Amino acid sequence: MNIKLARPFIGEEEERAVLSALRNTEISGLFGSCISEFEQGFAKYCECEHGIAVANGTVALHLALATLGIGPGDEVLVSTFTNMATFFAVLYTGATPIPIDIEPDTWNMNPDLLEAKITSKTKAILAVHIYGHPVDMDRVSAIAKKHNLFVIEDAAEAHGALYKGRKAGSLSDIACFSFFANKILTTGEGGMVTTNNAAFAAKARSLKSLAYGTANKFMHDDIGFNYRMSNIHAAIGCAQLPKVEDVIRLKRNTASLYWDWLSSIAELQLPVEKSYARNVYWMYHVVLRGRAAGTRDFVTDFLTTHGIETRPAFVPANMQKVFIERGFTRPDDCPNANYVGENGFYIPCSPDITLEECRLVASCLRAAISRAV
Ligand SMILES: *Cc1c(COP(=O)(O)O)cnc(C)c1O
């Protein structure tokens, strides 16, 4: 038996969509009906006016930052506990990412820590909805407003997550999604920028496609990028869109089973769902605590032996040697994130995981912890 962390949810609809794009020879990112259909469909799903499809989530982040004009000399406040793509994207612009420690329960950026890090160079707050639980955006937005900063969402893990009933991706100046193979909605590789600001949308659309000129295509309007999503990938996205709510329902169902079976274990912290949130549980991330602190290798080895795939939590930005060497951060900058980074890991939460598989994961995890302590 082998229980995978996250199997993509791909079927005949995706096959048909790709085949049809190929047969129409709509294969590039410049032409093809699926691109605009996917952009409009996904933006509508996110309750946003505009969607700009791109090649992946990392370039979605770079494009959003470039659209806001963020560059050398600027500072961007970023949750330290994230996929490092979030930090790399800030660095691509020439700006400096400043790591912010996390809340111990949601593992999201702690808004209380933002003001102490704001300087005359700060231009934006980049909030990551980690593992599909939305950031407390009202608190972030209030601080941004007071200090005249942009807010950007990294919603790469949070398709369909709700904050006070509103969709992730619609809660800031500009937001970014990833459609990598293991994300809630996938195109294999892919990404999207969403915004309600028409000027930002136009700028992002131009920059993503080499900023080709309008009167003379080859007299460029700006220094652009080729960040286009191909129509073949967009075809997969169109086929995926009607399934997103099913995927979320299945993941939330798994989370509720795990809650029933695991929440009585004192040494295990489970994901929360704040009263303001709908968590979409992109990954089901748990943290060992109390007597089980420091036993992650033992626990995950035990699960591996029983055919259950796990993966350690993100290593926070403040622990990354490439950032420490360059003087962007120090290892002890974000103690909450360090604890979670060392004691957290994912257990399987594929949309199609069965009840029996969930039961096996839960009972193995319980056994592993009782042996570890
Ligand atoms: C997946 C992910 C990204 C990067 O997306 P890619 O499509 O892999 O480039 C960025 N930020 C977060 C939080 C992610 O989970």
Side-chain angles (χ1 to χ4, degrees):
M1 167 166 271
N2 204 355
I3 309 179
K4 293 275 179 218
L5 273 181
R7 289 179 287 247
F9 206 52
I10 294 281
E12 283 172 20
E13 298 81 1
E14 285 79 1
E15 284 177 30
R16 273 199 297 274
V18 168
L19 209 53
S20 140
L22 286 170
R23 285 181 177 154
N24 294 338
T25 62
E26 295 183 335
I27 57 174
S28 80
L30 272 182
F31 304 103
S33 58
C34 301
I35 299 168
S36 52
E37 186 187 330
F38 183 43
E39 288 179 332
Q40 284 162 23
F42 189 74
K44 182 158 182 258
Y45 176 72
C46 295
E47 297 159 4
C48 275
E49 293 278 324
H50 311 279
I52 299 97
V54 294
N56 58 60
T58 307
V59 301
L61 285 158
H62 181 211
L63 183 64
L65 291 155
T67 295
L68 298 178
I70 287 164
D74 297 339
E75 292 177 354
V76 180
L77 308 183
V78 189
S79 176
T80 191
F81 189 62
T82 180
N83 182 312
M84 282 310 116
T86 323
F87 277 75
F88 294 159
V90 175
L91 290 165
Y92 301 158
T93 69
T96 305
I98 307 290
I100 303 292
D101 205 2
I102 56 173
E103 301 174 323
D105 54 354
T106 64
W107 307 310
N108 278 327
M109 161 187 280
N110 183 347
D112 289 340
L113 303 175
L114 287 168
E115 283 201 286
K117 298 280 183 178
I118 293 174
T119 70
S120 57
K121 296 177 178 171
T122 312
K123 286 284 155 28
I125 302 172
L126 175 39
V128 185
H129 305 303
I130 202 75
Y131 302 137
H133 190 292
V135 174
D136 193 348
M137 291 303 286
D138 282 352
R139 287 163 68 206
V140 171
S141 303
I143 293 162
K145 196 168 177 197
K146 183 170 154 198
H147 297 274
N148 197 24
L149 309 175
F150 291 120
V151 181
I152 306 155
E153 284 164 272
D154 180 343
E157 306 178 356
H159 319 62
L162 297 177
Y163 175 69
K164 299 186 178 173
R166 293 159 60 210
K167 284 266 171 62
S170 73
L171 307 166
S172 59
D173 294 298
I174 193 162
C176 308
F177 288 88
S178 164
F179 306 123
F180 179 67
N182 67 14
K183 303 290 160 114
I184 303 244
L185 183 159
T186 184
T187 59
E189 299 276 0
M192 185 91 71
V193 169
T194 57
T195 180
N196 280 313
N197 181 310
F200 293 161
K203 180 94 184 278
R205 200 171 286 292
S206 164
L207 285 176
K208 97 158 194 194
S209 189
L210 296 175
Y212 282 124
T214 31
N216 175 350
K217 180 175 178 185
F218 296 123
M219 182 58 86
H220 297 256
D221 290 335
D222 206 330
I223 298 171
F225 319 109
N226 179 354
Y227 285 170
R228 296 185 299 262
M229 172 187 278
S230 84
N231 192 65
I232 302 170
H233 291 86
I236 304 176
C238 290
Q240 285 264 299
L241 254 183
K243 305 179 184 178
V244 190
E245 282 298 314
D246 292 334
V247 170
I248 293 170
R249 186 175 41 74
L250 292 164
K251 283 189 170 277
R252 287 179 56 78
N253 187 41
T254 300
S256 110
L257 293 174
Y258 281 151
W259 184 268
D260 288 348
W261 293 333
L262 297 171
S263 60
S264 61
I265 303 176
E267 294 83 7
L268 193 66
Q269 182 192 353
L270 301 182
V272 294
E273 184 171 64
K274 293 284 196 176
S275 57
Y276 54 73
R278 173 169 87 153
N279 192 343
V280 292
Y281 301 99
W282 167 60
M283 284 289 168
Y284 198 86
H285 172 254
V286 298
V287 183
L288 295 163
R289 64 182 173 194
R291 291 186 305 155
T295 66
R296 181 173 67 185
D297 287 351
F298 177 88
V299 170
T300 54
D301 284 352
F302 186 92
L303 292 170
T304 308
T305 307
H306 288 80
I308 297 165
E309 191 184 12
T310 64
R311 186 171 303 163
F314 290 127
V315 175
N318 56 290
M319 294 295 286
Q320 298 284 344
K321 61 179 189 307
V322 290
F323 299 155
I324 297 166
E325 279 163 10
R326 287 167 174 77
F328 300 148
T329 184
R330 291 192 314 268
D332 57 359
D333 269 350
C334 302
N336 285 343
N338 288 356
Y339 183 83
V340 174
E342 281 163 18
N343 290 283
F345 60 100
Y346 314 154
I347 57 175
C349 189
S350 294
D352 60 355
I353 192 170
T354 66
L355 186 75
E356 275 322 305
E357 287 174 324
C358 285
R359 207 193 296 279
L360 188 71
V361 172
S363 67
C364 274
L365 182 49
R366 184 180 285 276
I369 293 171
S370 64
R371 279 174 172 75
V373 298

